[in-house]
Amino acid sequence: MRVSRIFPIVLLVVFIPVHFNIISYVSQANRNLANGDEVNVLLPSPILKITSLDYDGLVSDALYFKAMLFYGSTYVGEQQRKIFDWEYTWFYNTLTAATDLDPYFLDPYFLANGVLGWEAKRVAEANLLLAKGSHYRNWDYWLPFYLGFNYYYFLSDNTKAAEYVMQAAQKPGADPFFSVFASRLAYKGNRTENAIIFLEGVLKTSRNETMRKDYKIRIATLKLMLTLEKGVAVYKERTGNNPEKLSVLVEQHIIDRIPEDPYGGEFYVDNDGAVKTTSDLRYMKKENSKK
Amino acid sequence: MQLLWPIAIITFKEGIRNRSIYGISLLALLMLLANFVISGMVAQEVSKVAVDIALSAISFSGLLLVLFVGINLMAKDLDRKTIYMVMAKPISRSQYLIGKYIGVILLITVCMSLLSFFAAVSLLLIKFGHPTFFQRFSWLMVGLSFFFTTLMLILVAALSFLFSSFTSTSFLTFILTIISYIIGMSLNDVKALVEAPQSVGITVSPVTVKIVQAAYYVFPNLSLFDIKLQAAHGLPVPVTYVIGIVAYTMVYSVIVMTMACLIFRKKEFP
């Protein structure tokens, strides 16, 4: 056979494996380069609106997916989340941009509430987005309901909380339990119990697996805290004082043992007799769990 | 009209035979298939994302149709000199141009109807899979958005005729049409930005503001045709708006085509 016939075949046989080697080396090397996180790039909303031409809705979807995938990727290990404060800022900005492009899009508001409210404890930002959502989606009852709950649980503003939940109760198709819940919120007590009721209501409608997982663990933890709170109440009835430590409850045979916090923190009782946890219902980073 | 119709029909037939249409349709179908995967990732508003993707896929493939098939139909006659054969017939240049335009309108309408049908099927299947997440979904609004996209493409096609009446190559027409499309789509937002630049912390000179305001009246305002957001959320669009848009398309196309005819009459063929 002539050389000119074999030569291209030899060339391909040699170069195709080489190609695979090189591409895997280069992409590995590229990952090790020192550069900023691609995830942090975000254009201001007015510019985004111009550059997205007539695909505003599509860009809004893409930004939402980006935020969601980013949040999903912050799990490191089973119950560990690695996320920096500035990443939450990016997260908030991205969801703001997504809802600037399409202010009627429900999912970013839900995501913002779950992550910024519960996880990052940046309730003010979560509330800003929820208020924006309830303004545009004036037929929707979930957004004012969430807003009301945030005012109640995180900001201890019962008046505003009851106001928003009542607003939610008046929307078409709202769950009848909203109005009952609104009247419950008007009183100061039963914070933990109300939070459980709220989260179980949310869990019923949530479909996002990451968020569902978060909610389930949160409910489980709050239920443990509720048991402890009841124990503290029994102790107070018997002795007239708040217990100094939770271990006293075990000594008095009110509870069998102090349960473990699923978030990796430790339950304790503060001076007013309220049961709290060192994890503050967030996954604790192992290295500073002793804090 | 009797003279226009044969030209329109032959233009339509020539367009439908173009191989690019297969490619564009395939792209649209792939985007509609991707819709099944993507909308499944959404937790709450499946309908919104599904409608977004379906409408955007149709609008994008329609634009490709105008740019790669529509422009070619006009340019081919000039490039291959087949226009001499037509010019030898007892038919004026304006009649020839308008006949071609009607053919392109026919082509756009037929292709868009076909693509919209496929988009509707994909939406129907997704709706069947997630019935509880389609509460605010409205076929009327989705259909209206398809209709508006078609009108928008007809307007862009008119612009491409204007450009091809004075440019010497189809490539130049292509570039000018794309630029006008981009300007037309972003005009509203650019105007809003230059009139209130503090929102992104920039300063804009008064001259720029004047230029943008002038462009606002010269270029077609294509973002008026974009009702994807309303369609995605089932928000109402008044009938008067629909009438206004149809009137706008007609008036603007007539102006542009008249100008194209005026220029084309004076054009010297190589």
Side-chain angles (χ1 to χ4, degrees):
Chain A
M1 217 187 270
R2 290 225 305 276
V3 178
S4 63
R5 284 216 177 164
I6 304 171
F7 186 66
I9 296 165
V10 173
L11 214 61
L12 284 179
V13 167
V14 172
F15 272 69
I16 288 174
V18 171
H19 162 77
F20 281 108
N21 280 323
I22 290 181
I23 193 76
S24 63
Y25 165 74
V26 174
S27 47
Q28 186 59 47
N30 182 273
R31 240 168 274 153
N32 297 336
L33 291 181
N35 55 13
D37 265 323
E38 186 222 352
V39 81
N40 295 314
V41 179
L42 184 70
L43 289 170
S45 308
I47 306 289
L48 266 177
K49 245 184 136 37
I50 294 170
T51 50
S52 56
L53 299 175
D54 65 329
Y55 306 108
D56 287 10
L58 210 58
V59 175
S60 165
D61 300 346
L63 287 172
Y64 161 70
F65 280 130
K66 213 171 163 187
M68 196 176 72
L69 291 177
F70 162 74
Y71 183 64
S73 73
T74 54
Y75 269 115
V76 284
E78 229 348 82
Q79 303 203 334
Q80 285 267 309
R81 219 179 243 299
K82 187 166 165 263
I83 181 160
F84 300 103
D85 210 38
W86 46 266
E87 284 177 327
Y88 280 128
T89 309
W90 170 84
F91 187 82
Y92 168 72
N93 289 339
T94 304
L95 291 179
T96 308
T99 54
D100 279 345
L101 289 173
D102 184 353
Y104 296 93
F105 191 12
L106 183 60
D107 288 72
Y109 298 118
F110 273 32
L111 187 65
N113 184 51
V115 176
L116 292 172
W118 284 93
E119 193 68 33
K121 299 281 185 277
R122 293 166 79 138
V123 184
E125 288 176 346
N127 280 0
L128 264 180
L129 278 174
L130 287 176
K132 180 177 171 188
S134 4
H135 169 73
Y136 283 101
R137 297 180 60 91
N138 52 17
W139 62 86
D140 199 296
Y141 47 84
W142 281 113
L143 296 171
F145 181 63
Y146 284 167
L147 194 56
F149 181 79
N150 284 355
Y151 271 109
Y152 168 74
Y153 190 77
F154 295 111
L155 305 174
S156 310
D157 187 340
N158 292 36
T159 335
K160 262 210 160 129
E163 194 181 299
Y164 279 116
V165 176
M166 270 322 284
Q167 226 179 66
Q170 282 154 10
K171 306 276 177 186
D175 202 312
F177 113 90
F178 282 8
S179 40
V180 183
F181 194 66
S183 52
R184 283 185 71 103
L185 293 189
Y187 300 100
K188 252 250 152 13
N190 301 333
R191 184 169 179 262
T192 313
E193 212 177 334
N194 282 340
I196 295 172
I197 294 172
F198 167 80
L199 285 175
E200 280 178 339
V202 174
L203 190 65
K204 265 197 289 186
T205 58
S206 181
R207 220 165 60 103
N208 183 332
E209 271 314 310
T210 317
M211 300 307 291
R212 282 183 71 86
K213 204 166 135 196
D214 281 3
Y215 284 134
K216 278 182 187 159
I217 295 172
R218 215 157 269 151
I219 292 171
T221 315
L222 284 167
K223 278 186 174 162
L224 294 175
M225 287 168 73
L226 188 64
T227 335
L228 290 172
E229 275 175 12
K230 283 182 178 156
V232 170
V234 171
Y235 181 88
K236 200 174 175 186
E237 210 169 274
R238 277 189 201 168
T239 63
N241 296 318
N242 284 325
E244 274 177 36
K245 283 186 284 182
L246 284 174
S247 54
V248 180
L249 298 179
V250 183
E251 285 162 20
Q252 293 271 335
H253 303 293
I254 297 172
I255 53 172
D256 296 337
R257 58 183 186 88
I258 302 170
E260 260 178 49
D261 177 3
Y263 285 99
E266 272 174 44
F267 292 118
Y268 66 95
V269 57
D270 75 356
N271 296 335
D272 333 318
V275 175
K276 287 181 175 163
T277 164
T278 49
S279 69
D280 204 14
L281 298 184
R282 288 188 278 186
Y283 288 122
M284 299 189 66
K285 291 187 189 109
K286 288 245 161 75
E287 58 270 17
N288 42 358
S289 59
K290 280 181 188 145
K291 192 173 75 178
Chain B
M1 195 63 205
Q2 274 173 346
L3 288 169
L4 300 181
W5 199 240
I7 301 178
I9 291 293
I10 202 125
T11 309
F12 172 73
K13 278 186 182 164
E14 207 184 333
I16 220 80
R17 251 184 257 133
N18 194 319
R19 295 271 166 81
S20 317
I21 286 194
Y22 300 126
I24 293 167
S25 310
L26 192 69
L27 178 75
L29 289 181
L30 283 178
M31 285 193 276
L32 294 173
L33 277 180
N35 203 350
F36 287 95
V37 182
I38 297 169
S39 57
M41 286 161 62
V42 186
Q44 299 289 337
E45 276 202 297
V46 183
S47 68
K48 180 253 185 277
V49 176
V51 171
D52 263 351
I53 295 172
L55 291 178
S56 302
I58 298 306
S59 149
F60 184 66
S61 15
L63 182 69
L64 293 184
L65 183 80
V66 171
L67 291 177
F68 289 99
V69 184
I71 291 179
N72 245 334
L73 286 176
M74 181 72 203
K76 229 191 284 174
D77 263 9
L78 295 175
D79 285 350
R80 295 194 185 159
K81 315 241 188 294
T82 39
I83 192 165
Y84 292 117
M85 266 163 54
V86 187
M87 290 291 120
K89 304 272 178 205
I91 175 177
S92 76
R93 287 188 180 190
S94 305
Q95 280 170 332
Y96 165 79
L97 203 66
I98 291 166
K100 281 252 150 195
Y101 183 55
I102 293 174
V104 170
I105 291 180
L106 219 58
L107 180 72
I108 291 173
T109 317
V110 169
C111 289
M112 287 302 284
S113 312
L114 209 66
L115 289 176
S116 304
F117 171 74
F118 285 120
V121 169
S122 87
L123 284 176
L124 196 68
L125 290 175
I126 294 171
K127 189 175 178 223
F128 187 70
H130 311 265
T132 44
F133 299 97
F134 273 71
Q135 277 149 4
R136 290 191 67 83
F137 181 78
S138 124
W139 281 111
L140 180 71
M141 286 306 300
V142 172
L144 195 63
S145 183
F146 285 142
F147 175 60
F148 274 25
T149 308
T150 312
L151 288 183
M152 185 267 282
L153 294 172
I154 288 174
L155 222 167
V156 174
L159 277 176
S160 79
F161 271 80
L162 173 65
F163 296 137
S164 63
S165 70
F166 61 79
T167 55
S168 51
T169 64
S170 56
F171 181 70
L172 206 56
T173 311
F174 177 78
I175 295 294
L176 286 172
T177 312
I178 284 194
I179 290 174
S180 341
Y181 167 79
I182 292 173
I183 292 176
M185 268 306 169
S186 50
L187 207 52
N188 246 354
D189 300 327
V190 172
K191 187 163 173 271
L193 180 66
V194 296
E195 283 172 357
Q198 60 277 7
S199 60
V200 283
I202 54 168
T203 49
V204 175
S205 80
V207 181
T208 316
V209 179
K210 282 272 171 288
I211 290 173
V212 171
Q213 279 167 348
Y216 188 76
Y217 291 100
V218 174
F219 285 92
N221 195 338
L222 298 180
S223 52
L224 296 177
F225 295 85
D226 179 17
I227 53 161
K228 293 196 196 69
L229 190 137
Q230 286 78 4
H233 294 284
L235 301 168
V237 169
V239 182
T240 46
Y241 186 74
V242 180
I243 297 170
I245 287 295
V246 173
Y248 178 68
T249 315
M250 277 165 39
V251 170
Y252 199 93
S253 310
V254 167
I255 294 174
V256 169
M257 284 311 290
T258 311
M259 279 163 64
C261 287
L262 285 177
I263 300 171
F264 195 66
R265 245 186 242 171
K266 299 264 184 284
K267 187 174 172 120
E268 282 189 21
F269 297 116

